[in-house]
């Protein structure tokens, strides 16, 4: 539900800096790893969002878009806190400002990477003109696009696990869950597309809403995978804590504060 407010705010930023052409590239990056059968139901509405001119950053509409986009970050925070077994006791205003910062950073990151993606073919043509022998490696551009998608997702996951939930975690403690999430996202997207192609028939159940329901179920699956990765990290941390406690005092029974 926060995708559209985020895109509205992103296009407003792009229009303000006269970078509107990069908005379509950003959308391509966001949906690059999503199967076409899943992305198609919302692709049309995304284009409608991008076609609306939004040149004024200081409007109530854009401010509300920023607020609702940050609400998506807050929803992720709630899920991660529950997965890690943490109780949130930080100031609400500071947390909301942090979520807004995440949206702003995400906007800047997507626009920067979109600029590099647009620049890459131009640079590649220049290199081919200078060194024609490298034209056989044109497939590397496609590999670069998918690599950028994974880098964006991985960096976003690392930042989310480190700073969104309460408490402190080291990078080494969150890497297992991040790696599992990325691998499961890829496998889940591929498996869900096969399921839609061979088994599912949402049209018989949801009629005209079949496309929308397909996208919602897919996003719900991806959210579950995200929370499962955080739960894995919490379980591994708890396991190490129990082992350390057992080594320190093997005769005392262990109790865990983590649910």
């Amino acid at each position: 539900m926060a995708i559209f407010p985020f895109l509205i705010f992103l296009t407003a930023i792009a229009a303000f800096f006269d970078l509107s052409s990069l908005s379509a590239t950003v959308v391509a990056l966001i949906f690059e790893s999503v199967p076409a059968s899943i992305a198609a139901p919302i692709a049309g509405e995304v284009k409608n969002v991008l076609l609306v001119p939004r040149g004024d950053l200081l409007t109530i509409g854009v401010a509300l878009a920023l607020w609702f986009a940050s609400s998506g970050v807050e929803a992720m925070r709630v899920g991660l806190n529950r997965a890690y077994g943490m109780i949130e006791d930080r100031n609400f205003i500071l947390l909301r400002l942090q979520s807004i910062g995440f949206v702003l950073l995400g906007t800047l990151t997507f626009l920067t990477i979109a600029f590099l993606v647009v620049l890459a073919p131009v640079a590649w043509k220049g290199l081919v003109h200078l060194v024609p022998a490298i034209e056989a490696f044109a497939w590397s551009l496609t590999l670069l696009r998918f690599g950028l998608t994974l880098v964006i997702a991985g960096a976003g996951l690392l930042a989310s696990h480190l700073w969104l939930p309460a408490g402190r975690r080291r990078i080494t403690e969150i890497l297992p869950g991040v790696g599992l999430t990325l691998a499961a996202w890829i496998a889940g997207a591929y498996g869900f597309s096969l399921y839609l192609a061979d088994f599912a028939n949402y049209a018989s159940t949801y009629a005209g809403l079949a496309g929308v329901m397909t996208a919602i179920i897919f996003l719900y699956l991806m959210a579950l995978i995200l929370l499962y990765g955080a739960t894995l990290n919490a379980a591994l941390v708890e396991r190490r804590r129990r082992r350390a406690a057992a080594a320190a005092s093997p005769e005392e029974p262990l109790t865990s504060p983590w649910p």
Side-chain angles (χ1 to χ4, degrees):
M1 298 296 289
I3 290 178
F4 286 99
F6 174 72
L7 289 175
I8 291 172
F9 181 76
L10 185 146
T11 52
I13 294 287
F16 182 78
F17 292 103
D18 198 21
L19 300 172
S20 299
S21 59
L22 295 182
S23 298
T25 305
V26 171
V27 173
L29 287 172
I30 292 176
F31 295 106
E32 188 105 65
S33 58
V34 180
S37 58
I38 299 169
I42 55 178
E45 297 303 325
V46 168
K47 291 180 180 178
N48 290 336
V49 169
L50 295 178
L51 290 176
V52 176
R54 307 177 189 276
D56 187 4
L57 283 177
L58 301 179
T59 62
I60 296 178
V62 174
L64 288 175
L66 176 59
W67 177 268
F68 288 126
S70 67
S71 294
V73 180
E74 286 298 312
M76 183 183 295
R77 187 197 309 278
V78 172
L80 289 175
N81 271 328
R82 292 178 179 177
Y84 280 109
M86 305 300 297
I87 298 177
E88 188 60 74
D89 57 356
R90 292 173 290 179
N91 183 273
F92 168 79
I93 297 177
L94 294 179
L95 293 181
R96 178 61 71 163
L97 290 175
Q98 184 190 54
S99 297
I100 292 175
F102 263 76
V103 175
L104 295 174
L105 181 61
T107 299
L108 178 62
T109 301
F110 272 115
L111 288 177
T112 302
I113 293 178
F115 176 76
L116 295 177
V117 169
V118 171
L119 184 63
V122 178
W124 179 257
K125 288 182 179 179
L127 287 175
V128 170
H129 180 73
L130 294 175
V131 188
I134 66 173
E135 189 173 3
F137 299 95
W139 55 267
S140 60
L141 287 178
T142 302
L143 184 63
L144 175 63
R145 292 179 66 87
F146 283 98
L148 282 174
T149 304
L150 286 177
V151 169
I152 295 170
L157 283 173
L158 284 173
S160 300
H161 284 266
L162 282 175
W163 296 309
L164 284 184
R168 294 184 179 180
R169 283 153 294 278
R170 297 190 297 270
I171 292 182
T172 54
E173 294 176 343
I174 64 176
L175 285 178
V178 170
L180 174 65
T181 300
L182 289 174
W185 272 351
I186 296 173
Y190 179 72
F192 195 72
S193 64
L194 293 180
Y195 166 71
L196 290 177
D198 297 332
F199 301 104
N201 184 13
Y202 287 100
S204 62
T205 304
Y206 299 106
L209 296 176
V212 175
M213 292 305 302
T214 300
I216 289 177
I217 292 173
F218 173 76
L219 294 175
Y220 185 73
L221 175 64
M222 296 298 103
L224 287 177
I225 292 174
L226 168 67
L227 297 181
Y228 185 79
T231 304
L232 173 66
N233 288 337
L236 292 176
V237 170
E238 175 64 14
R239 183 182 181 185
R240 288 192 290 268
R241 189 198 69 80
R242 284 172 175 261
R243 286 184 172 180
S249 53
E251 296 181 357
E252 296 181 7
L254 297 179
T255 58
S256 172
W258 184 72

